Amino acid sequence: GKWLLDNLLGAPPPPPPPEVPELSENEGEEQAATVRERLAMHRRSSACAVCHAPMDPLGFALENFDAIGGWRTTDAGLPIDASAVLADGSTTFNGPSELREVLIGRSGQFVETVTEKLLIYALGRGLEHYDRPVIRTIVRDAEAQDYRWSALIFGIVDSTPFRMRRSES
């Protein structure tokens, strides 16, 4: 969920507070717990719940994938529940294909995030507040071309920050 927020939606959660304990790994527990159950215990803290509310549902939809991308149907011997409700309380989905539809509904947010990351790469520096209008212009112009990849690339190459960048001697 965190990766999706960071890299696809451009809405990274804040870092955890310093005293937040790590999730247990089910070692020494009497009853095995799924990631969903362990995160529910973790979210009991209001400080944790603020960040986890937007993040966890995205991760739940992808829970069938293991650490190396293999498909699995159980976690800790229990069936995986890949259903989720976004923090808005009304957007529900189950599994990666329904999550994909939710993300497609937020395509403008995705395109803006991709544009930001491409511009960072093209400029060789982080973005500043004065880069925001450029990003909005690139995205708006690309929308007229159905967000074609070539429209984003051309918009970046034709932008003032890219054309006026300096290289260090």
Side-chain angles (χ1 to χ4, degrees):
K2 181 184 182 312
W3 187 90
L4 291 172
L5 286 173
D6 284 343
N7 297 296
L8 297 185
L9 298 175
E19 295 90 30
V20 174
E22 295 289 322
L23 288 176
S24 70
E25 293 294 329
N26 287 340
E27 295 173 14
E29 293 182 15
E30 292 181 19
Q31 182 179 354
T34 64
V35 170
R36 180 183 291 264
E37 292 166 340
R38 293 192 333 246
L39 284 170
M41 292 186 313
H42 189 66
R43 281 193 310 272
R44 287 187 187 134
S45 162
S46 59
C48 298
V50 170
C51 298
H52 280 268
M55 183 171 45
D56 290 353
L58 301 172
F60 293 153
L62 302 174
E63 193 61 30
N64 285 108
F65 296 105
D66 65 16
I68 59 170
W71 188 261
R72 62 193 182 141
T73 57
T74 61
D75 179 22
L78 301 170
I80 290 176
D81 176 9
S83 64
V85 179
L86 288 183
D88 65 12
S90 62
T91 307
T92 62
F93 49 92
N94 188 359
S97 60
E98 290 182 20
L99 173 61
R100 179 181 181 270
E101 296 304 315
V102 170
L103 294 175
I104 287 172
R106 291 170 164 73
S107 62
Q109 194 175 2
F110 169 73
V111 172
E112 186 169 328
T113 302
V114 168
T115 303
E116 289 173 4
K117 295 195 179 293
L118 286 171
L119 189 59
I120 289 168
Y121 181 78
L123 298 177
R125 64 169 173 81
L127 298 179
E128 301 293 339
H129 68 281
Y130 48 79
D131 294 317
R132 300 303 313 162
V134 172
I135 292 166
R136 286 191 296 271
T137 299
I138 293 168
V139 171
R140 185 185 61 240
D141 293 348
E143 182 181 20
Q145 298 179 46
D146 199 28
Y147 298 121
R148 295 180 60 90
W149 187 248
S150 57
L152 292 175
I153 301 295
F154 180 77
I156 289 169
V157 171
D158 195 42
S159 72
T160 301
F162 183 81
R163 289 183 292 123
M164 303 298 282
R165 74 187 189 288
R166 294 185 210 164
S167 60
E168 294 185 24
S169 300

